[in-house]
Amino acid sequence: MPCVVVVGGFFGDEGKGKIIAYLARQYNPMIAARGGVGPNAGHTFVLNGKTYKVRMLPSAALNDSTRLMLGPGVLINPQILLDEIRNFEAQDRVFVDSTCGIINNDHIEKDNAEYPKTRLGTTGTGTGPANSDRALRTLRIAKEVPELFEYIEDVSNAINYSLDKKERVIIEGTQGTFLSLYHGEYPFVTSKDVTSSAVCSDVGVGPKRIDEVLLVFKSYVTRVGQGPLKNEIDNDEARKRGWTEYGSVTGRRRRAAPFDMDLARRSIRLNSATQLALTKLDVAFPSCKGIREYSKLSPESRNFIEEIEQETGLMVTLIGTGAELNDIVDRSTSLNMNII
Ligand code: IMP
Ligand code: MG
């Protein structure tokens, strides 16, 4: 019960940030630990009309009593991290593993050099070149950066100790399953694996300690950058359906396609998902906007959810119906399922 890992089911931008911020406020975990690649991911959440974005901190950043941790697998851009710590007034609750890799300007310049940019459409945030230096064992790590000194912690030790005491822990993935270096369509992928196993490894937690794997799907599929996208619709059609979105890190328009059941099933296998969250139901079914009770959702939207449940064999425990954190249908109690 106390440990959940939350990962994206498609190509990133499924709305993990909102789901995690909601869970964090609902369940007040002792620790929220971020895995994933680094500042190439942006998580967004809205509370009381105010929009928050995080590229380095876990999406539980608004929780005063949750310790926010970055695991050793995460690449850090110190400037972005220090800005976020200041903006969220999180000086006393942020912890960085001593071996997190450090992105420098050379990595960013290399990432923005023409060749990889046009071919892969990377975010240009330096993560690929930094992970490449990490593999060569030439990358600087967090303990070598004086500005990070006060935040250094043994993250794996801290999380495992909390779990020994049966305290609640959320492990947050970034990107999405099909951006995985191993399981996505190479070379149109990010610079490491991003499935649930990898995210657990990023923060130093072994597979037997995970109680739930919550896989987040959006009600339609989007992708930024290059690479295949089955049943992609054109810009006009996306605008008509209200599916036009822009990347939170790069501002690029996201390509769009309808929900893909085959991809969803493959994602569930790759992540050993135990339950699902479905976001932006109100974008696919506008009459669902702001609804917080399952019985009040439109019959067609419930058919869509039930089809997903039948086709995948998993329950959809959380359903996003708007941008606000509390615009959510939380079925965990009625379905008698623990999330965390
Ligand atoms: P990189 O991770 O910057 O090297 O980019 C590799 C591919 O992953 C590009 O197609 C990016 O658009 C995509 N990508 C990386 N991070 C994210 C994310 O957080 N959301 C969506 N796409 C991402
Ligand atoms: Mg994003």
Side-chain angles (χ1 to χ4, degrees), residues 41-258:
H43 289 177
T44 307
F45 41 91
V46 181
L47 183 65
N48 301 329
K50 190 165 178 217
T51 301
Y52 302 86
K53 283 185 202 289
V54 284
R55 288 175 57 189
M56 292 269 47
L57 291 182
S59 301
L62 289 175
N63 272 39
D64 285 340
S65 61
T66 297
R67 300 163 80 208
L68 308 172
M69 302 201 172
L70 298 180
V74 179
L75 291 167
I76 290 182
N77 178 319
Q79 202 49 56
I80 296 175
L81 174 62
L82 293 168
D83 283 349
E84 289 183 4
I85 291 175
R86 192 162 12 86
N87 292 341
F88 284 90
E89 295 175 359
Q91 282 79 2
D92 54 352
R93 55 198 161 96
V94 169
F95 302 88
V96 169
D97 196 86
S98 63
T99 61
C100 287
I102 301 296
I103 297 171
N104 64 31
N105 285 337
D106 286 353
H107 298 125
I108 296 172
E109 272 168 34
K110 228 187 210 174
D111 204 6
N112 281 299
E114 205 174 335
Y115 168 69
K117 187 97 187 161
T118 51
R119 197 173 66 117
L120 300 182
T122 74
T123 59
T125 52
T127 49
N131 270 336
S132 143
D133 280 356
R134 178 126 198 179
L136 294 171
R137 275 126 317 155
T138 57
L139 186 67
R140 262 189 333 149
I141 57 174
K143 68 177 177 194
E144 299 170 71
V145 180
E147 294 80 6
L148 297 178
F149 182 74
E150 61 182 297
Y151 303 108
I152 297 295
E153 169 70 291
D154 181 336
V155 165
S156 169
N157 190 54
I159 298 175
N160 281 283
Y161 182 72
S162 250
L163 291 175
D164 287 343
K165 293 195 292 179
K166 306 265 185 276
E167 291 168 351
R168 288 174 167 151
V169 173
I170 297 181
I171 299 173
E172 169 174 348
T174 64
Q175 283 76 34
T177 297
F178 298 106
L179 292 176
S180 161
L181 179 62
Y182 303 148
H183 304 292
E185 198 128 352
Y186 186 90
F188 304 107
V189 289
T190 191
S191 51
K192 60 190 263 197
D193 185 19
V194 290
T195 58
S196 58
S197 322
V199 172
C200 293
S201 161
D202 286 338
V203 303
V205 171
K208 287 182 72 175
R209 299 225 75 159
I210 304 303
D211 300 288
E212 298 291 338
V213 178
L214 178 65
L215 189 61
V216 184
F217 291 128
K218 192 154 60 182
S219 299
Y220 46 98
V221 184
T222 59
R223 169 164 208 169
V224 278
Q226 304 300 312
L229 178 60
K230 208 175 96 188
N231 298 327
E232 182 169 357
I233 58 173
D234 64 25
N235 289 342
D236 281 348
E237 181 61 24
R239 206 172 306 116
K240 251 185 253 160
R241 298 188 192 193
W243 295 1
T244 310
E245 296 180 7
Y246 296 90
S248 70
V249 172
T250 58
R252 289 179 293 174
R253 184 199 289 275
R254 293 178 184 153
R255 300 153 58 202

